[in-house]
Amino acid sequence: GGGPLASLGQAGILLLVIILLGLVGHNYIVAAAAGVLLVLHLLHGDVLFPILEKNALNVGIGIITLAILIPFASGEIGWPEIYRTMASPTGLVALAMGIFVAYLGGRGVEFLTSQPQVMVGLMVGTILGVAFFRGVPVGPLIAAGMVALVMGLLGYGR
């Protein structure tokens, strides 16, 4: 009893809500990821969740890193471009921001691992930012790193 939604259970309903929020916020990657998890949930593939939880983040970071390195591998960016960029004020600021964002991403991974419930606020905030402030859904890891940094500065630790 209870209709089709009740048969999904709490996890299935939450995943449906995340899919809808992802679609409304034009964050199709979040919607697709939640969709895959919903299909696994419905097909009783929950046995894969611990494996995914342990490995998916590292695999995803590996794929992102691969994408970032393609211009180096293709020869599009070589030593002359690196020297020219690093000799400019914009290049030096970009270098510093790259270091800072990588640091934040690392803190974000740690923070999300220890407090995954933070993802709810990050996702709703991202959706609101995209829907109402013409934002772009970029990095929950960076956002989580910023949360960890702010919470640390406020004395809340991890």
Side-chain angles (χ1 to χ4, degrees), residues 85-86 88-105:
T85 300
M86 291 303 130
S88 73
T90 303
L92 291 174
V93 171
L95 175 68
M97 288 300 113
I99 292 168
F100 183 58
V101 165
Y103 168 80
L104 284 178

Side-chain angles (χ1 to χ4, degrees), residues 38-143:
L38 179 61
V39 168
L40 282 174
H41 175 71
L42 293 173
L43 297 176
H44 305 293
D46 306 55
V47 67
L48 296 175
F49 289 173
I51 297 165
L52 288 172
E53 193 170 24
K54 185 176 181 189
N55 299 301
L57 196 58
N58 286 332
V59 169
I61 290 169
I63 291 170
I64 291 169
T65 303
L66 183 112
I68 289 169
L69 294 177
I70 288 173
F72 294 94
S74 71
E76 185 181 328
I77 296 175
W79 292 113
E81 291 80 13
I82 293 170
Y83 291 135
R84 198 169 38 251
T85 300
M86 291 303 130
S88 73
T90 303
L92 291 174
V93 171
L95 175 68
M97 288 300 113
I99 292 168
F100 183 58
V101 165
Y103 168 80
L104 284 178
R107 301 302 69 76
V109 169
E110 292 172 12
F111 196 72
L112 284 175
T113 301
S114 67
Q115 298 190 38
Q117 71 279 7
V118 168
M119 186 55 86
V120 174
L122 294 175
M123 207 171 75
V124 172
T126 298
I127 290 164
L128 293 174
V130 169
F132 299 110
F133 299 101
R134 298 181 350 154
V136 178
V138 286
L141 297 179
I142 305 306

Side-chain angles (χ1 to χ4, degrees), residues 14-39 123 127 137:
L14 282 171
L15 287 169
L16 268 179
V17 168
I18 291 168
I19 292 167
L20 292 173
L21 289 173
L23 293 173
V24 167
H26 304 286
N27 193 334
Y28 302 116
I29 292 173
V30 167
V36 167
L37 291 173
L38 179 61
V39 168
M123 207 171 75
I127 290 164

